Each structure stands twice: as structure tokens, then as C-alpha cells.
Amino acid sequence: GLPTMPPPVLAQRRRTRQIQVGKIGVGSDHPVSIQSMTTTLTADVNSTLQQIAELTAAGCDIVRVACPSQDDADALPMIARKSQIPVIADIHFQPRYVFAAIEAGCAAVRVNPGNIKKFDDRVGEIAQAAKETGTPIRIGVNAGSLDERLLSKYGKATPEALVESALWEASLFAEHDFHDLKISVKHNDPVVMVRAYELLAERCDYPLHLGVTEAGPMFQGTIKSAVAFGTLLAKGIGDTIRVSLSAPPVEEVKVATQILQSLNLRPRRLEIVSCPSCGRAQVDVYRLANEVSAALQDMEIPLRVAVMGCVVNGPGEAREADLGVASGNGKGQIFVKGQVVKTVPEHMIVETLIEEAMRIHEEITED
Ligand code: SF4
């Protein structure tokens, strides 16, 4: 067939060094990857692997597991071996778990400089161990655990303070000729967070891991993350993302996927183009949009489905979509690739759209 143009994006990616987190490349040569973190006790290997399998199925590229105790450290070799996606060990407070995680075969290790007190004098050893195994390190600076020295210098976790902390730690690794780093500077306030990443992006070429920390419950967290990540990704900043929600981690992956799809940084799958409804609507648009969305959400093909309440914009949008309905007078005109294929009564709109979607799916997957 005809060569298809890649969909437009808002900016070229910021040029970065490349690192390899297991099978996933992180940096400007690679697609922006999605991370999440397990909520199980890491020492409970079966539950953790079960949750990793769910995250993998939802489209997660990289998973992080907490490692607060020796039991957790002991579980890392099995988890790293059995996980379908690269596993990053998340270490606070205990430098010795960094070595355990590297030995366990974890794809990377996240350290929080503010929380690893005796970290500075052990950077050489960590760099050495990580270099021998090709294990990258994430320097994960967090507003809630900023280095006390910087906290007293800046008074609070300002963008400058977060960036200074990160670059200081990176320089300690660089002194040992270790550059397989990625960096995060998380804050719960999207404005501070965006500014911090912008500064960081200007001042280094390490790949960046984006996160709004403690973003909150689903609704607030989704919006804060979408706004903050969207602002940065629209300027080409950000190489891997983690949405933090006070909700099951699979939800984080779904939100992250939608953010990347919205910016054309990941191929779009199901996209429902539905109108908000108004006084002109002649069908129940909310119900139709929700039912169609629920029925088609697992479709593995790109599919744009228009669900429109009346004839004002209905036929236009329905014609632009792969599939659509424009409603009026208790009936729905069903469009496929711009052509009206049939007109059905209102109660048959949903099932007809689903039937047509399945037909399109079959045609595409047969080719
Ligand atoms: Fe209102 Fe019709 Fe527009 Fe839907 S398509 S918002 S019903 S004018």
C-alpha cells in the first residue's frame, strides 16, 4: 500500500544520552516509555509477579518495586527473572540494597540521594558494581525528601533546589566515569515540577523520568499529570513517564497511555469522538458514548469512532471517523469510512456500531 506519514508531533525530542533498562531503551532514540510501581509487598513474590503481569497486559513497559527490607532484597532475583518487563529496584536509606539489586539482575536501580545518607562516600563502589553489570541508575530527587543542605540553602523545594540536588549527585557518578543515569525531579505541584524539568533539561543531557509525585486520587492525579507531562512532552522533554495515583497501578498505566496517545507519542487505539450533547441532542449521547467505549476498549487496532447527538456536526464528524453515528429523529445514520452504510433505530445504534467495528477489525487483521 501507500507509505503512510507518521502522525505529527508537537516537538522534536530533546537530544539525550541513551540508556538501556533491560530490553527497553530510554532516551531520545526511543519511544517515551511507561512505568508504574507495584503496590504489593515485594517479598511476596507471587503477588508481586501477578501484579506485574497485570501491568504488562495494560501496556506498562517498565515496573518498579520497593525494596525497604532484607526480605524484599531477597525476593529481587526471582522477580527480576520471572517478570515479563524490566524491573527497577527502588532503594531509599540502605546503600547495601543497591548492591543486592544489582546482583539480583534488576534492570536498573532507583536511588534517592536525599534518603541515602551515607550515599556520597559509596558512589564509587556503586558506580563500579553498576558498570560491571551494565545496570543504569536513576537519581530520583523528590520534593518530600530533599537533601537537608539544599533545603536550608533554598528554604524549600524550589525548582533550583531540586535540580541542584540531581546535578550534584550526577556529578558524583560522573567523577567515577559513570554516565548511565536517568534523572527525575518530582514535586506535587505541576508548576514547580515543570519548571524543574525545564531547568534540568537545559543543564544536562541525561534522559529524564517524568513524574508529579503524590499527584492524588484518580481525578485530580490524572489531570495534574496530564497537564504537567503534556507541557513538557509538547516541548520534547521527557523520556519515560510515571503517573502516580492513589489508585491501583493499572490505572496509572491507562492514564499514561492516554497522555502519550493524545500527543501522538504512541499509536492511538480506540478514540471516541463524542459530542458533549446540548439542547439539540435527539439521543442520549452520554449513554451511547459510554456503551460504545466500554464495548470497544480492548480493540487492538486504531479506530476513531464518532458518536454525535444531532445533525449539526454529526454527519461531518461521522464522515471523518473510521466509524460513526449521526443521530436524529430517533434514528442513527451509521457511517463507515465516510459512507452511510445504514440507518437504524436508536435502540440498535450501539450493537450496529460494534458489529461494524468488528468487521473493520477483521479486515485489518486479515491483511
Ligand atoms: Fe449538540 Fe448536536 Fe453538537 Fe451534539 S452534535 S453538541 S447534540 S449540536
Side-chain angles (χ1 to χ4, degrees):
L2 289 169
T4 47
M5 292 287 287
V9 291
L10 290 168
Q12 286 284 327
R13 289 276 289 286
R14 157 185 168 263
R15 292 295 309 161
T16 72
R17 293 170 169 276
Q18 315 302 319
I19 62 169
Q20 199 63 38
V21 177
K23 64 182 176 184
I24 303 291
V26 175
S28 51
D29 291 351
H30 306 279
V32 178
S33 50
I34 294 175
Q35 309 202 13
S36 185
M37 190 163 177
T38 51
T39 54
T40 51
L41 283 176
T42 303
D44 180 350
V45 173
N46 286 339
S47 304
T48 302
L49 285 171
Q50 173 60 37
Q51 198 173 50
I52 292 175
E54 289 163 17
L55 288 168
T56 307
C60 189
D61 298 305
I62 298 170
V63 67
R64 185 153 48 103
V65 301
C67 186
S69 77
Q70 188 60 49
D71 286 346
D72 300 315
D74 292 343
L76 292 177
M78 182 67 98
I79 293 169
R81 192 160 62 243
K82 294 251 173 107
S83 170
Q84 304 92 322
I85 52 178
V87 174
I88 300 181
D90 192 74
I91 319 281
H92 295 258
F93 307 113
Q94 306 267 23
R96 69 192 155 100
Y97 296 151
V98 175
F99 299 102
I102 290 171
E103 248 171 66
C106 287
V109 179
R110 179 274 174 113
V111 297
N112 179 337
N115 276 348
I116 297 192
K117 306 298 177 200
K118 288 178 300 186
F119 183 79
D120 292 359
D121 54 2
R122 303 198 70 178
V123 169
E125 284 169 73
I126 292 173
Q128 187 57 35
K131 212 182 282 182
E132 275 164 18
T133 48
T135 312
I137 306 264
R138 167 156 70 97
I139 296 173
V141 175
N142 199 303
S145 50
L146 188 64
D147 206 304
E148 272 164 33
R149 187 174 57 84
L150 290 164
L151 209 48
S152 52
K153 176 173 170 188
Y154 289 93
K156 60 179 179 174
T158 62
E160 292 76 13
L162 295 167
V163 170
E164 186 172 328
S165 173
L167 291 177
W168 163 249
E169 297 302 327
S171 76
L172 295 178
F173 279 99
E175 274 170 24
H176 296 278
D177 198 28
F178 187 86
H179 304 279
D180 274 358
L181 300 171
K182 62 191 170 94
I183 303 185
S184 61
V185 281
K186 299 191 185 181
H187 196 288
N188 62 47
D189 181 332
V191 173
V192 179
M193 176 274 196
V194 167
R195 195 66 203 117
Y197 278 98
E198 285 173 341
L199 281 177
L200 187 57
E202 283 168 16
R203 293 183 51 190
C204 73
D205 63 356
Y206 292 114
L208 303 183
H209 163 121
L210 303 187
V212 173
T213 189
E214 290 97 42
M218 186 107 91
F219 180 73
Q220 178 189 294
T222 298
I223 290 172
K224 274 191 175 185
S225 302
V227 169
F229 295 8
T231 304
L232 290 165
L233 292 167
K235 298 178 183 176
I237 298 172
D239 304 289
T240 182
I241 64 174
R242 193 268 171 115
V243 172
S244 307
L245 298 177
S246 304
V250 163
E251 301 302 324
E252 299 182 344
V253 173
K254 289 188 196 163
V255 171
T257 304
Q258 283 291 322
I259 292 172
L260 295 183
Q261 288 186 1
S262 300
L263 291 166
N264 280 342
L265 294 172
R266 185 162 285 227
R268 293 186 186 169
R269 295 282 170 83
L270 178 66
E271 198 180 347
I272 305 281
V273 180
S274 57
C275 80
S277 184
C278 73
R280 262 179 232 107
Q282 294 173 340
V283 291
D284 183 347
V285 176
Y286 301 169
R287 184 183 60 79
L288 274 183
N290 282 328
E291 287 181 10
V292 171
S293 176
L296 299 179
Q297 66 174 352
D298 292 329
M299 296 275 285
E300 303 248 303
I301 55 164
L303 192 68
R304 201 175 149 91
V305 183
V307 179
M308 303 294 289
C310 79
V311 294
V312 172
N313 295 320
E317 286 288 5
R319 226 174 266 127
E320 291 295 308
D322 296 304
L323 181 63
V325 59
S327 308
N329 290 330
K331 290 188 209 125
Q333 279 188 318
I334 307 292
F335 287 76
V336 175
K337 307 275 179 203
Q339 303 297 321
V340 179
V341 293
K342 59 182 88 157
T343 301
V344 298
E346 183 173 349
H347 71 272
M348 287 180 62
I349 291 174
V350 172
E351 63 176 271
T352 310
L353 285 175
I354 294 166
E355 256 172 46
E356 294 298 334
M358 295 305 163
R359 209 192 310 277
I360 293 174
H361 181 267
E362 264 168 43
E363 277 169 21
I364 288 180
T365 48
E366 267 168 23
D367 285 353

